Amino acid sequence: MNHPFIDIRHLTAYRGGRRVLDDFSFRQERGAHTALLGPNGSGKTTLMKLVSGELYGLDRPGSSVRVFGRERWDVHELRRRLGILSHDLQREYLPGVSGRDVVLSGAFASIDLWRHHEVREADRSRAGELMEELGVTSLADRRFSQMSTGEQRRCLLARALFANPDALLFDEPTSGLDLRAAFAYLWTLGDIMRQGRTVLLVTHHVHEIPPEIKRVVLLKEGRIMADGPREDVLTAPLLSDLFETPLQLAERDGWHQVFPAR
Ligand SMILES: Nc1ncnc2c1ncn2[C@@H]1O[C@H](COP(=O)(O)OP(=O)(O)O)[C@@H](O)[C@H]1O
Ligand SMILES: [Mg+2]
């Protein structure tokens, strides 16, 4: 069955006593790469965590969160279908783990390798291939804490790809990266989309939405303000409204960038 990747209906979600999403509905078909753009605090990370099963919304009649057509998932099973790249993950990763073990931990959808994890030869060769593909082979024996932010992020991407997921969630993919690392990472993201994996990218930066993403959703205070083709949604008036500041917008080769306006 070809269920949508994400199908959220009439969901209300609270965090720390505050209502973050209110009667929120969102659907993403497989293959329909999407960027969700919104200011800080608009609920982007909350939405990601609802999809990945780290958070739950209110259980009310008529409200549901379905991922690949299913409402209830064993989190480990879901993690094999869904790769997650978040800052929480990067922050929580154990400092002493080697690059190779970061990637291998993707075999178990866990953070780090534990004694009960039996690493098979096939897992080692898969990890080797992915490290090669992402250009991190030289980091195999480097400790996570001794890598740059960009190197850490590429290792975590190799980890997320380990189980050959159908879809990936990216939360502010290039934050903290310099231009070279940022664009290398975004080109890799383009490759991932061309491999047929569905991407949902959440961000507050217009410039980190790769040209391959054709649908953009604007999220403001937990509500969808606009949703549609990139060229209809990324406009100066809508973005000025979204960020509550006058903005002008430029486009070059499918990439967008904003500037202040008076
Ligand atoms: N762990 C938490 N405890 C309490 N409130 C939270 C927590 N995480 C986020 N929030 C609140 O939920 C709202 C949405 O946060 P978040 O989804 O992280 O927004 P975004 O990712 O768009 O910046 C914010 O107002 C934030 O303060
Ligand atoms: Mg966030």
Side-chain angles (χ1 to χ4, degrees), residues 15 38-46 48 87 171-172 202-204:
R15 293 192 81 182
N40 291 328
S42 56
K44 305 181 298 294
T45 299
T46 301
M48 262 194 56
H87 299 279
D171 196 345
E172 291 171 16
V202 310
T203 183
H204 56 265

Side-chain angles (χ1 to χ4, degrees), residues 7 29 31 50 58-59 79 98 109-110 130 171 176 216 219 228 253:
D7 188 3
E29 302 296 336
L50 287 161
L58 293 188
D59 190 7
R79 294 288 153 78
S98 69
S110 74
L130 282 166
D171 196 345
V216 176
L219 187 71
D253 297 338

Side-chain angles (χ1 to χ4, degrees), residues 149-222:
T149 308
E151 290 169 342
Q152 289 182 341
R153 205 157 297 167
R154 295 190 80 80
C155 283
L156 290 174
L157 183 52
R159 170 188 185 272
L161 290 170
F162 195 96
N164 200 16
D166 297 327
L168 289 111
L169 300 176
F170 289 89
D171 196 345
E172 291 171 16
T174 70
S175 71
L177 304 187
D178 66 25
L179 286 177
R180 177 178 155 178
F183 289 126
Y185 196 79
L186 291 173
W187 289 126
T188 304
L189 229 152
D191 292 339
I192 286 170
M193 290 185 265
R194 280 184 290 275
Q195 286 165 2
R197 305 182 206 277
T198 307
V199 165
L200 174 62
L201 182 158
V202 310
T203 183
H204 56 265
H205 288 308
V206 174
H207 65 257
E208 68 175 356
I209 304 177
E212 290 84 357
I213 295 187
K214 307 293 187 203
R215 176 189 177 197
V216 176
V217 179
L218 305 184
L219 187 71
K220 189 174 186 181
E221 292 167 14

